[in-house]
Amino acid sequence: MKRIFVIAIMSMILGFWTCESQAKLYVAEPLLVNQPPYAGMQFYVYKPYNMPKGWYVTFDGYPVKKNRDNIWVYGTSEGPNLVATNYIVGSVVPAMAGITRWITDAQISELRKVPTQEMINVRQPGIPVRQLTAGQTHSTYIPDWTFNARFMAIGNWKGTVDRIGILHNPVIPVAWKGDHPKLIYAWTGETWYQINMQENVSPARMLKREMLTLRRFLRKSNFKWYEQDTPILSQQSKAWGYYWLGEIMPR
């Protein structure tokens, strides 16, 4: 019965895309893949219905495939065809390398809304991935914030952000630019709160001064950052071209 329910949902989704858009039709199930050149690096790829064999798109819409060495590289369009480049996924910011997206912002937005079977079975808003016992099928954990346009918008703030990390307590993402930033952005669960820096004050000390305000925001939003979220944000920071700060201790 559950399987029939899932199939029905997927049929409705595919039908919706077919009727509502002349764009490419997407297979909803994401794949979590490894990138051999970077130990521990993983990222999601999606398989469009009518994409050339062996090609996928990344979470931010760029075409990728494995080369002969089983390394994921970006692709570029040559007429109706896709051709692999020498740009390794994770080594460059694709837009800055002249690589164009395979899908549009609107399609990316719709793609992120699709409830995959793993999400239907496992993921619930605000609840971390369940502990699997022996014999159970492995399930992929996809954090809520990856579907939040307000959160993901920070990936486009290259003018004021070039690094991102996790504040120790409270545990929230924070971001800024350079060693002496003018602004710090802290995620409140609903929006990126902007902190104006003071002269001769380090980012860690400035965050400590804002601690009460940040906690007040978090109580209001009931936001919780889970342990599983951190490595995913670390991977996403590479896709954005940001330096990963790791854990930041306010002091």
Side-chain angles (χ1 to χ4, degrees):
M1 187 68 183
K2 184 175 182 181
R3 182 178 181 82
I4 294 174
F5 175 70
V6 171
I7 293 174
I9 289 178
M10 297 305 296
S11 298
M12 286 167 42
I13 293 167
L14 294 177
F16 170 80
W17 276 350
T18 302
C19 297
E20 295 294 323
S21 173
Q22 297 302 316
K24 298 177 179 62
L25 190 64
Y26 289 89
V27 174
E29 190 70 20
L31 300 175
L32 184 63
V33 299
N34 297 302
Q35 181 63 303
Y38 305 105
M41 179 182 175
Q42 295 178 310
F43 60 96
Y44 288 101
V45 295
Y46 298 83
K47 179 66 174 178
Y49 171 77
N50 59 348
M51 202 164 194
K53 183 179 180 180
W55 286 94
Y56 296 81
V57 291
T58 60
F59 189 82
D60 46 355
Y62 291 96
V64 294
K65 72 172 301 183
K66 279 187 176 182
N67 64 14
R68 294 178 181 178
D69 300 317
N70 287 323
I71 295 172
W72 288 92
V73 296
Y74 287 108
T76 185
S77 298
E78 290 190 2
N81 302 316
L82 280 172
V83 178
T85 70
N86 293 322
Y87 292 116
I88 297 173
V89 176
S91 67
V92 297
V93 179
M96 295 180 67
I99 300 169
T100 57
R101 287 177 173 175
W102 181 257
I103 58 178
T104 65
D105 286 337
Q107 291 170 299
I108 292 172
S109 178
E110 287 303 313
L111 185 62
R112 290 173 177 170
K113 295 177 184 176
V114 175
T116 68
Q117 183 171 345
E118 287 180 336
M119 292 160 60
I120 292 169
N121 292 342
V122 179
R123 180 181 169 276
Q124 299 179 33
I127 298 178
V129 67
R130 67 185 179 189
Q131 296 297 315
L132 302 179
T133 59
Q136 286 185 297
T137 302
H138 171 71
S139 296
T140 301
Y141 171 63
I142 305 177
D144 290 339
W145 50 264
T146 61
F147 296 86
N148 187 323
R150 289 185 178 180
F151 184 97
M152 299 299 289
I154 202 167
N156 296 319
W157 297 355
K158 303 296 192 297
T160 54
V161 173
D162 68 358
R163 62 199 66 192
I164 191 167
I166 295 295
L167 188 62
H168 173 70
N169 188 16
V171 184
I172 54 172
V174 293
W176 63 81
K177 184 171 185 176
D179 296 328
H180 304 286
K182 295 181 179 179
L183 298 170
I184 295 178
Y185 297 97
W187 180 247
T188 68
E190 296 178 342
T191 188
W192 287 99
Y193 171 60
Q194 181 177 301
I195 301 171
N196 294 312
M197 288 292 295
Q198 297 177 3
E199 190 174 354
N200 298 322
V201 177
S202 69
R205 183 169 293 277
M206 198 67 215
L207 286 166
K208 185 175 183 178
R209 293 183 181 181
E210 293 286 331
M211 199 68 68
L212 291 178
T213 300
L214 295 175
R215 291 185 187 280
R216 187 165 60 248
F217 279 130
L218 293 175
R219 283 195 298 269
K220 180 182 177 182
S221 67
N222 291 317
F223 176 75
K224 183 173 177 57
W225 186 264
Y226 297 103
E227 183 180 352
Q228 298 96 325
D229 293 1
T230 300
I232 296 174
L233 181 58
S234 173
Q235 297 155 18
Q236 183 61 54
S237 71
K238 296 175 183 176
W240 284 331
Y242 294 162
Y243 175 72
W244 176 243
L245 293 167
E247 187 177 32
I248 301 159
M249 302 294 292
R251 57 181 185 273

